Amino acid sequence: MILMDCHTHTQFSVDSEADIELCARRAAELGLAAYAITDHCECNGWHEKAHYPEETWYLRESFDYAKDFENSVSAVTALKEKYAGKMNLICGVELGQILHDTEAAKTVNSDSRVDFIIGSVHQVAGEQDFYFIDYDKLSMNEIYDLLERYFREVYEMSRTDLFDVVGHLTYCLRYMKQRHGIDADISRFDDIIAETFRSLAHNGKGIEINTSGLRQGFGDCFPSLKYVKMFRDLGGEIISFGSDSHTVEDIGANIADGMALAAAAGFTRGAFFRKRKPCFTDIT
């Protein structure tokens, strides 16, 4: 099985210290069919901190993602030249909270150096990133309200043309389950998830199978087999695979499991992107 990892982070992501040169070297050693560096770019923190009202500062742990974006894309572009003919290196970005600042998202989308954009929702409007929320202080009704807002925001994002695949759908469950033991039933949101998948299929967009949950204690991919199969059944054709690595050692982690999950859902090929266009490769 030929592996590809299209969701990884380097030192140009605020939550990673993985050296970009070492990441590229590791991907080459693994012989990945495609390797995308997709450093974080949170649209709601695109500008410097002073740009935003002080009372909203608590919503973001960092700012000035415009600078991070430029640093990452410049570095990856240089590495593409260095590894030309040796490795299929892809210049990507994980674009968070697209709806919170669509002008920032449009700036990223207009950059011709970018091959691939993951559209992610790490926080819903007016709330902190799901990583920082103390779920023990919330009632189950409040948790389900938060989850509904998440899935509706993903749906609204799916109607835009500002990304290529939805990143780690069901990310909202990661920390409430891993750290707080809350196993929320998201089947009540299947209707809006199905509408999201129809929208993605209609617009020629895809979803990512993010394998980070398999190594981080969640116990499953984001999303699970049920939702990957639902996407397939509703006309979805584009599926990508990502380890969501933040260390050199995790590059390629559990990608084979993600591909097996895709095959179980009925997919026979996966996709990586060049110049924002999907390139397909067999996975079975």
Side-chain angles (χ1 to χ4, degrees):
M1 181 181 292
I2 299 176
L3 305 180
M4 47 187 163
D5 192 346
C6 295
H7 187 159
T8 69
H9 298 279
T10 75
Q11 78 252 32
F12 300 110
S13 289
V14 296
D15 53 357
S16 172
E17 296 180 356
D19 181 84
I20 194 168
E21 289 273 359
L22 295 180
C23 288
R25 188 182 307 168
R26 176 59 177 161
E29 290 171 352
L30 291 170
L32 298 178
Y35 172 57
I37 294 174
T38 54
D39 284 312
H40 285 293
C41 181
E42 307 297 282
C43 290
N44 57 330
W46 176 258
H47 301 283
E48 294 182 357
K49 189 174 185 179
H51 173 84
Y52 302 96
E54 186 173 353
E55 62 270 20
T56 69
W57 288 354
Y58 76 98
L59 294 173
R60 285 242 43 84
E61 73 277 16
S62 57
F63 299 87
D64 202 11
Y65 279 93
K67 180 180 179 180
D68 291 344
F69 169 72
E70 178 56 38
N71 287 340
S72 176
V73 171
S74 294
V76 178
T77 300
L79 278 177
K80 286 177 71 173
E81 294 180 8
K82 179 177 179 178
Y83 281 90
K86 302 176 184 177
M87 178 174 58
N88 185 10
L89 181 58
I90 295 161
C91 183
V93 58
E94 184 180 9
L95 197 58
Q97 291 73 256
I98 286 172
L99 299 180
H100 298 196
D101 188 340
T102 55
E103 290 306 310
K106 289 175 182 177
T107 298
V108 171
N109 274 259
S110 66
D111 195 312
S112 62
R113 297 170 296 176
V114 175
D115 292 306
F116 176 50
I117 298 178
I118 300 171
S120 294
V121 176
H122 297 119
Q123 61 189 118
V124 297
E127 303 288 349
Q128 291 180 296
D129 189 306
F130 286 100
Y131 178 89
F132 295 105
I133 294 173
D134 185 352
Y135 300 96
D136 291 332
K137 294 181 178 180
L138 301 179
S139 68
M140 284 307 298
N141 284 338
E142 289 172 319
I143 286 174
Y144 280 118
D145 176 70
L146 189 63
L147 292 174
E148 180 175 5
R149 291 162 63 194
Y150 168 80
F151 286 112
R152 291 201 175 278
E153 190 158 318
V154 174
Y155 168 68
E156 292 299 332
M157 182 182 72
S158 78
R159 301 172 66 191
T160 76
D161 195 37
L162 297 172
F163 68 99
D164 301 311
V165 303
V166 172
H168 49 45
L169 184 69
T170 66
Y171 167 85
C172 55
L173 302 177
R174 175 187 275 171
Y175 304 107
M176 66 175 65
K177 180 178 180 180
Q178 286 179 199
R179 292 202 297 249
H180 299 266
I182 299 170
D183 197 6
D185 177 12
I186 62 170
S187 62
R188 63 177 66 190
F189 308 115
D190 281 1
D191 287 347
I192 188 67
I193 294 172
E195 284 303 308
T196 299
F197 289 162
R198 292 188 186 98
S199 174
L200 292 171
H202 177 75
N203 292 328
K205 306 297 182 182
I207 66 171
E208 168 197 53
I209 294 179
N210 185 300
T211 64
S212 62
L214 295 175
R215 68 177 187 275
Q216 292 177 346
F218 183 81
D220 208 342
C221 292
F222 304 109
S224 64
L225 174 61
K226 170 185 173 178
Y227 292 103
V228 177
K229 187 176 188 304
M230 181 189 292
F231 179 58
R232 178 66 173 167
D233 292 344
L234 293 173
E237 297 182 352
I238 298 172
I239 201 96
S240 71
F241 304 93
S243 66
D244 207 347
S245 66
H246 288 68
T247 67
V248 175
E249 294 75 19
D250 284 337
I251 292 172
N254 296 108
I255 294 296
D257 298 305
M259 288 184 168
L261 187 152
F267 286 91
T268 59
R269 59 184 189 169
F272 60 88
F273 281 72
R274 280 287 189 194
K275 297 297 182 184
R276 307 292 306 282
K277 301 296 183 183
C279 305
F280 294 96
T281 184
D282 291 341
I283 61 171
T284 58

